Amino acid sequence: MHTVNLSDVAVADRELAQTIAQRANVNLRDCYQCGKCAAGCPMADDMDLSPQQIMRALQMGLTEKALSATGPWLCAQCMVCSTRCPQNIDITKIMREVRRESHARGHRCIPESNAFETQFLKGVKADGRNNEQYLAAFYNLRSGHLAQDMLSAPKMLAKGMVGIGKHSVKDRDAVRKIYEKCLEKDGEQK
Amino acid sequence: MTELKYSWFPGCSAGSTGIAYTQSAKYVADKIGLEMKEIDDWCCCGTSAARITDDDLMHALPARSLALSERQYPGLDIVAPCTGCYSALKGARHWARQSEENRRHVSELIDMDYAAEADVKSLLEIMVEPDVVDLTVSRLQKTLGGMKIACYYGCTQVRPAEVCNFDDVENPTSMERLLDACGAECVQWGFKTECCGASNHVVKPKAARKAVERIFRNAKACGAEAIVTSCPLCWLNLDMREQQINSEMGTDYHLPVYYFTELLAMAMGATPDEAGLGYHFEPAAQLAQDRIVADTKTEEVTR
């Protein structure tokens, strides 16, 4: 069993944990560590810290530990944890808020995950719609996994499931403006 | 019976990886007189990328299409065939209805008034209504021939329960009722609402494959000969990854993965190509052709 002397935990770390919990509208004290969230999590096997352990880290004020973990970056947002929590804690939202804070502080615990979402939103900002073939191609370039899923590509091309043609909205400006209003407020880019 | 007329949000996969779903859904809609009016200039729902990134973006992107729909088709509820889109749209509506402040805020973001009145439904949700099930059965030329099916709902059709308000969050049974009424023999299994791994199949393939392998393993162990879904992302993650899992993990799964609309289309007389079965990675036409045959007993009675 790992022991933590709570007097040594920095006040700033404890406060940051509280801030993250507030953003998720969660009271950290509600969690009694039953573990149902981790038991049902489809990705827990591959996480360094499971949803249950992320909750514990925040309770203890070990915020940096939570922010540098891969767990929140691997979260598939399937919402099983929130659904099964006997205390009705929205753990999915906690995972999301931890990941956002981690991202804001420059962590890229799963760089591929960041590359994928960045590329996805870039496409939406430009075209108003997602073009899967371009998303896959640019993701491969961005993440360095150049040959990924290339074996499936010929079949998809042959069947006409994907092509070189893009689809987009007519009113591209409208979608771009929404994107800018949401993500580039106060001149600060997220 | 209420008029089967809806505003239609196709979603980004409708013409590409989800083309078999679109094609079969249109075939079935035509047979049962379901009218779907496509929202002009709909945009991407933002899906998990927007959700992960920012609350405003995850509400505003769907709200734009919902507001356009309310303008173009006043009084019509909106149907999204993809359950990922359904979740984003339904979530944005839910949030906008929580307070007038929320509704105004999202209206400002999209520079349009969004009333948040029209409801959002998934295609599965409207197809499992009891009177639509009856209507569907009345249009069948063939039955599903006792096909042993594992009905796979995935995440976003059922979660979060307070937003989706669909069936049962852990053990939904409405897809089973629809397909059983069409002559299938759906199996009891434990993975109907498990996650397929979503975009982790792209970003962390090894981790995500395990999630899908467990789904195939459970379906097979419970006696299923096919899996049926209503989500293009679930479909892609199961169908496209099945053979990859076999070669990467040493398994031997050969379960076709169908959209529920493909089987209904076949039973209504579509050819395998018309039903979209030519788009599959795991061969799917043979099993459908073997099982979906004219019910001789019914024919005799009619004669």
Side-chain angles (χ1 to χ4, degrees), chain B residues 87-227:
Chain B
S87 173
L89 299 170
K90 187 107 179 168
R93 175 184 184 264
H94 181 82
W95 185 81
R97 286 170 73 89
Q98 277 179 343
S99 73
E100 177 59 15
E101 193 190 339
N102 287 2
R103 195 194 66 76
R104 280 209 189 128
H105 180 63
V106 77
S107 295
E108 270 167 37
L109 288 173
I110 62 174
D111 206 14
M112 256 191 290
D113 189 54
Y114 172 45
E117 271 162 14
D119 200 0
V120 176
K121 295 175 175 198
S122 71
L123 182 61
L124 179 66
E125 196 173 3
I126 60 170
M127 291 298 295
V128 298
E129 287 290 326
D131 45 1
V132 182
V133 173
D134 291 345
L135 177 63
T136 301
V137 171
S138 76
R139 296 293 185 271
L140 299 184
Q141 296 178 6
K142 302 170 181 174
T143 81
L144 298 186
M147 191 189 276
K148 304 273 190 293
I149 293 172
C151 292
Y152 179 57
Y153 298 77
C155 306
T156 56
Q157 176 65 68
V158 291
R159 292 187 291 270
E162 65 274 21
V163 175
C164 301
N165 202 18
F166 173 82
D167 201 334
D168 186 278
V169 70
E170 293 284 358
N171 184 32
T173 50
S174 40
M175 202 192 311
E176 281 88 343
R177 282 201 298 276
L178 168 66
L179 297 178
D180 282 349
C182 297
E185 286 176 23
C186 295
V187 304
Q188 290 282 341
W189 71 311
F191 278 60
K192 45 173 90 171
T193 62
E194 285 294 313
C195 179
C196 70
S199 59
N200 278 344
H201 280 277
V202 178
V203 303
K204 277 287 158 204
K206 274 198 180 141
R209 298 292 191 266
K210 289 190 229 168
V212 170
E213 193 279 326
R214 286 193 292 261
I215 292 168
F216 280 122
R217 196 192 323 158
N218 191 260
K220 194 177 168 185
C222 293
E225 54 188 348
I227 295 178

Side-chain angles (χ1 to χ4, degrees), chain A residues 111-112 115-116 136-148, chain B residues 202:
Chain A
E112 292 93 341
F116 181 80
F138 284 113
Y139 164 77
N140 285 7
L141 285 177
R142 199 179 258 266
S143 65
H145 300 296
L146 295 179
Q148 182 167 297
Chain B
V202 178

Side-chain angles (χ1 to χ4, degrees), chain A residues 23 40-43 45-46 72-80 83-84 90 93 96-97 99-100 110 112-114 116-117 120-121 124 128-133 139-140 145 148-149 151-152 155-156 159-162 167-172 174-175 177-179 181-183 185 190, chain B residues 11-13 15-17 19 38 40-44 46-58 60-61 64 87 108-111 155-156 159-160 169-170 193-195 197-205 207-211 214 235-236 240-241 244 278-282:
Chain A
R23 286 181 199 145
C41 176
M43 291 295 139
D45 256 14
D46 291 86
W73 289 74
L74 263 183
C75 169
Q77 302 277 307
C78 77
M79 297 172 280
V80 161
T83 301
R84 292 184 186 166
D90 197 340
K93 239 181 200 166
R96 198 188 299 161
E97 291 298 345
R99 176 167 160 178
R100 285 181 187 170
I110 305 273
E112 292 93 341
S113 178
N114 187 60
F116 181 80
E117 266 115 37
F120 187 98
L121 291 180
V124 172
R129 289 184 190 167
N130 172 33
N131 288 280
E132 291 157 318
Q133 73 282 36
Y139 164 77
N140 285 7
H145 300 296
Q148 182 167 297
D149 286 335
L151 289 173
S152 303
K155 181 161 186 166
M156 291 178 135
K159 288 174 182 296
M161 293 166 89
V162 296
H167 65 154
S168 66
V169 288
K170 287 178 266 181
D171 195 351
R172 287 170 194 242
V175 179
K177 272 184 204 154
I178 290 171
Y179 184 96
K181 261 193 201 169
C182 294
L183 294 190
K185 10 185 187 208
K190 280 194 190 166
Chain B
C12 296
S13 69
S16 52
T17 51
I19 194 162
E38 180 169 335
D40 184 44
D41 215 29
W42 58 271
C43 66
C44 172
T47 187
S48 59
R51 192 175 299 148
I52 286 289
T53 307
D54 182 75
D55 281 359
D56 275 350
L57 192 66
M58 82 183 231
L61 283 174
R64 175 179 176 271
S87 173
E108 270 167 37
L109 288 173
I110 62 174
D111 206 14
C155 306
T156 56
R159 292 187 291 270
V169 70
E170 293 284 358
T193 62
E194 285 294 313
C195 179
S199 59
N200 278 344
H201 280 277
V202 178
V203 303
K204 277 287 158 204
R209 298 292 191 266
K210 289 190 229 168
R214 286 193 292 261
W235 178 81
L236 192 67
M240 187 167 107
R241 307 301 180 190
Q244 291 175 8
Y279 292 112
H280 290 228
F281 287 84
E282 175 65 33

Side-chain angles (χ1 to χ4, degrees), chain A residues 6-82:
Chain A
L6 289 177
S7 319
D8 295 341
V9 175
V11 176
D13 279 347
R14 264 182 282 159
E15 282 175 358
L16 181 58
Q18 288 305 326
T19 307
I20 292 170
Q22 275 162 16
R23 286 181 199 145
N25 202 20
V26 163
N27 183 348
L28 293 172
R29 290 183 185 186
D30 284 346
C31 173
Y32 50 63
Q33 289 288 298
C34 71
K36 269 196 91 66
C37 50
C41 176
M43 291 295 139
D45 256 14
D46 291 86
M47 291 175 170
D48 49 4
L49 294 187
S50 72
Q52 178 192 3
Q53 289 168 316
I54 291 289
M55 286 300 296
R56 191 62 181 149
L58 294 179
Q59 284 179 327
M60 309 279 276
L62 301 176
T63 316
E64 188 47 41
K65 197 174 169 184
L67 294 176
S68 51
T70 62
W73 289 74
L74 263 183
C75 169
Q77 302 277 307
C78 77
M79 297 172 280
V80 161
C81 52
S82 303

